[in-house]
Amino acid sequence: MKRLVSTFAIVLLFALTLGNTLAANKGGHQGTSRLDLVEATVSELQQALRTNLITSEQLVEMYLARIEAYDDAGPRLNAFLTVNPRAEATARRLDRERRGRERSPLYGIPVLLKDNVDTRDMPTTAGSVALEGSIPPNDAFITRKLRAAGAIILGKATLTEFANFLTNGMPAGYSSLGGYGFNPYEPRELPGGDGRPVLSPGGSSSGSGIAVAANLVAVAVGTETSGSILSPASGNMAVGIKPTVGLISRDGIIPITADQDTAGPITRTVADAAILLGVLAGFDRSDPATRACLRPGNCFSDYTRFLNRRALRGARIAVPPFPDNRAVIMNAAIDVLRAQGATVETVPALAAQQPGCPSTVFPPVEPWPPPGCASALFYGFKRDLNAYLATLGPASMVHSLSDVIAFNAAIPAVALKYGQILAQLSDSIDISPGSDDTMQYTASRAEDIVRSRGALDSVYNGADGQRGTEDDFDALLFSANSGANTPARAGYPSITVPGGFVPPVAPMENPFPSGVTFSGRAFSEPLLIGLAYAFEQATLHREPPASAPPLPSDTVVRRNRDRDRDDRHHRDDHDHDDRDDR
């Protein structure tokens, strides 16, 4: 892979820049205002905007420079499927309108959307060539919320095609439209492979995780059905929140199944995740699941109030068995939890869930799906994707899952590098009311809920089995996304935070990131955010990748006397704007 500079030079440049940044923070630049874009938080960016150190237009330009340097060139991370051509114009408008609107924490802040979230002014494709150029008629509900909050949609992120429900064996982060995404902590192709990376970026929200990790954007939105936020967040040393199903509207998001789908934040810090979650959450009359937000105490517009460094004091955390190759990270995390005042107890593995339905042969062996397997994803994919595609109108090339399959089959060299067996199996299901498949799905989904919620609640309720007693557990602690399946089926929330690095295994050359994940009861996001924040602040594991070091344009410094002059010019500009408006 083509690189801009050698690995040694990258590391040296990063070390020198980091040293300069630390010196500035220690008073080496007294009498100045300074912004270092790499690792900057939303609060730091807002401070720079409020003090007129930068404008939103400049901020967008700074991120575009990093995208050009590291996504399009250099390590070619391929986090962006589309860069918004109107981002700079939107930023200029927001700069003009800023007065009185700074109360929104995302005002003027760039945000990246996974490319299964509808945008009325950019394609929404799920990474499929069958949807190339497809511009939906409306924004998704969460897109509208972001725009109303003053966020700038910087672009659309690469992803595993159709959120990794097209086929078996597709590498995380690959799509027929976008190609492969690369983990910035080791952005190399697998030697002798098919183009896939040495180190997985995690999926299916891979581009969101890559971009946040490499500081190509401030914050990003991913989606999850089972692990698709937790996996790329953990694998890119980021923070990811998979919310309770019903906290965030699914309107205008290309689905796998409404039974489990949800959008959620991927950020570099828990505080930024809390900010983004507060903007995304809330009732949407077009999504019945969000009626739960009308119940007091379920959903909040400000989750930053739950950031508590002492949240682990007195907390009770249950830890089921974890993978041997994550033992060092998990044992270290447990030590931290105890040192911060939490009680940590090991518990048996969660009760088994329904096995997945066999998905290796098409046409499927009759009867399919066979009794006793979890068919919710297959059934939901056909039902909910057909409903989504029907909203695209007559101009769309595809109007159903059958159309997608036929489109792909007509250009197999382009569309079917890894096949489409999951789509074919889904399309073979009869979703008509009263059909045998519908009755089996209904029973399977009910069994999923009973098993998953029963398994989780049996842990949270403690040894006495009674909720609300002293032996209750506040959360489960999992390694990375290893425990994603059961909370996903239950619709319960999880949050992952950086946990450290795992030693490399050949052909990898560098240690790779891994997270730890707190999972809790439905609508326990406030509690989980507090626990995750306390752990994050006690460890500070997050490190930026060496493959995307600071650029000269990433640093803005201004002397205070220049600030006074710029403030006068800023006031004059507003006066001109006011006269123009009149």
Side-chain angles (χ1 to χ4, degrees):
M1 180 181 296
K2 181 181 177 182
R3 292 175 178 270
L4 288 178
V5 292
S6 69
T7 301
F8 175 77
I10 287 174
V11 173
L12 180 60
L13 176 60
F14 175 71
L16 289 172
T17 305
L18 180 61
N20 289 338
T21 301
L22 292 174
N25 291 339
K26 291 179 180 179
H29 290 267
Q30 292 183 6
T32 66
S33 299
R34 178 185 178 103
L35 172 68
D36 293 295
L37 187 66
V38 170
E39 300 296 280
T41 66
V42 168
S43 295
E44 290 167 344
L45 295 175
Q46 284 292 6
Q47 175 66 13
L49 291 167
R50 280 194 299 268
T51 60
N52 302 319
L53 177 61
I54 59 169
T55 64
S56 290
E57 183 180 8
Q58 288 174 298
L59 181 58
V60 168
E61 290 170 348
M62 292 165 76
Y63 280 124
L64 291 177
R66 290 188 61 80
I67 292 167
E68 182 179 2
Y70 300 125
D71 211 52
D72 302 334
R76 297 186 183 275
L77 299 174
N78 197 25
F80 280 73
L81 197 54
T82 303
V83 174
N84 184 1
R86 301 172 186 82
E88 290 170 284
T90 299
R92 283 194 295 273
R93 175 178 60 79
L94 291 170
D95 285 332
R96 292 195 301 269
E97 298 173 357
R98 169 168 289 274
R99 182 185 298 175
R101 295 190 63 187
E102 293 90 341
R103 288 170 296 183
S104 169
L106 287 183
Y107 190 88
I109 301 296
V111 177
L112 175 65
L113 298 180
K114 184 177 180 179
D115 196 31
N116 59 351
V117 179
D118 278 357
T119 45
R120 67 179 187 273
D121 52 358
M122 283 179 283
T124 302
T125 70
S128 170
V129 292
L131 287 171
E132 184 174 8
S134 174
I135 298 180
N138 301 297
D139 281 337
F141 182 79
I142 61 171
T143 306
R144 296 198 299 272
K145 292 202 76 176
L146 287 165
R147 292 193 204 269
I152 300 164
I153 309 302
L154 190 58
K156 308 296 285 294
T158 54
L159 70 163
T160 319
E161 189 166 345
F162 279 113
N164 202 22
F165 208 75
L166 181 69
T167 190
N168 290 322
M170 180 177 286
Y174 173 82
S175 69
S176 60
L177 187 59
Y180 298 96
F182 288 85
N183 191 309
Y185 290 90
E186 186 150 15
R188 297 185 298 117
E189 289 186 13
L190 182 69
D194 56 3
R196 70 181 65 196
V198 167
L199 177 61
S200 173
S204 63
S205 305
S206 51
S208 299
I210 294 166
V212 164
N215 286 274
L216 307 182
V217 71
V219 294
V221 175
T223 67
E224 174 159 332
T225 306
S226 181
S228 291
I229 289 173
L230 303 179
S231 168
S234 174
N236 289 279
M237 198 158 242
V239 174
I241 299 180
K242 181 269 177 189
T244 305
V245 173
L247 187 83
I248 294 175
S249 172
R250 299 158 299 181
D251 170 67
I253 299 176
I254 299 177
I256 290 181
T257 176
D259 297 323
Q260 295 181 202
D261 290 350
T262 181
I266 297 179
T267 65
R268 289 185 291 274
T269 68
V270 176
D272 283 356
I275 289 171
L276 181 54
L277 185 65
V279 173
L280 299 177
F283 171 67
D284 171 18
R285 65 180 67 255
S286 65
D287 185 349
T290 63
R291 288 187 63 84
C293 282
L294 299 178
R295 190 175 303 119
N298 277 354
C299 306
F300 298 88
S301 60
D302 179 11
Y303 284 89
T304 61
R305 71 176 85 171
F306 305 112
L307 299 171
N308 179 6
R309 291 174 181 267
R310 298 183 175 88
L312 286 167
R313 294 185 183 180
R316 288 178 50 79
I317 312 295
V319 184
F322 44 80
D324 290 342
N325 68 339
R326 299 296 193 274
V328 172
I329 283 180
M330 289 296 290
N331 287 327
I334 290 169
D335 289 343
V336 170
L337 298 180
R338 287 174 172 155
Q340 293 297 307
T343 296
V344 182
E345 295 185 13
T346 58
V347 296
L350 296 178
Q353 304 300 300
Q354 292 184 94
C357 298
S359 58
T360 57
V361 179
F362 187 85
V365 176
E366 296 292 344
W368 198 93
C373 68
S375 61
L377 298 188
F378 290 100
Y379 189 97
F381 187 55
K382 181 176 182 178
R383 176 195 64 196
D384 298 331
L385 183 62
N386 281 353
Y388 171 84
L389 294 174
T391 69
L392 297 182
S396 175
M397 296 288 291
V398 292
H399 301 92
S400 68
L401 177 56
S402 297
D403 289 350
V404 172
I405 292 169
F407 186 99
N408 290 341
I411 49 170
V414 176
L416 296 179
K417 185 171 185 175
Y418 297 100
Q420 55 181 345
I421 190 169
L422 298 183
Q424 291 169 310
L425 289 170
S426 294
D427 201 44
S428 72
I429 289 178
D430 182 356
I431 62 173
S432 61
S435 70
D436 289 345
D437 288 345
T438 295
M439 289 189 289
Q440 178 171 334
Y441 153 75
T442 301
S444 173
R445 178 59 186 153
E447 181 71 12
D448 256 357
I449 292 173
V450 168
R451 288 198 189 196
S452 59
R453 294 181 182 176
L456 293 167
D457 292 345
S458 68
V459 175
Y460 298 138
N461 292 341
D464 67 5
Q466 301 296 314
R467 182 171 183 173
T469 56
E470 290 185 358
D471 69 345
D472 285 6
F473 285 102
D474 297 299
L476 279 155
L477 184 74
F478 295 107
S479 167
N481 65 313
S482 63
N485 187 318
T486 304
R489 295 191 189 200
Y492 286 4
S494 300
I495 177 170
T496 190
V497 291
F501 287 91
V502 177
V505 177
M508 287 185 286
E509 298 175 351
N510 303 305
F512 59 93
S514 185
V516 297
T517 299
F518 296 88
S519 293
R521 300 180 191 267
F523 296 103
S524 64
E525 283 83 358
L527 173 62
L528 297 180
I529 285 170
L531 298 176
Y533 181 73
F535 178 83
E536 173 196 57
Q537 295 301 303
T539 56
L540 299 177
H541 283 306
R542 164 73 194 170
E543 295 181 18
S547 68
L551 299 171
S553 59
D554 288 343
T555 299
V556 179
V557 180
R558 183 185 57 198
R559 297 183 185 278
N560 284 343
R561 61 176 178 269
D562 295 334
R563 174 182 171 181
D564 294 337
R565 180 194 62 206
D566 290 348
D567 284 345
R568 289 194 299 274
H569 290 171
H570 184 70
R571 288 193 296 272
D572 290 343
D573 290 341
H574 272 305
D575 291 341
H576 286 301
D577 290 339
D578 291 342
R579 286 194 293 273
D580 291 342
D581 291 340
R582 291 194 294 270

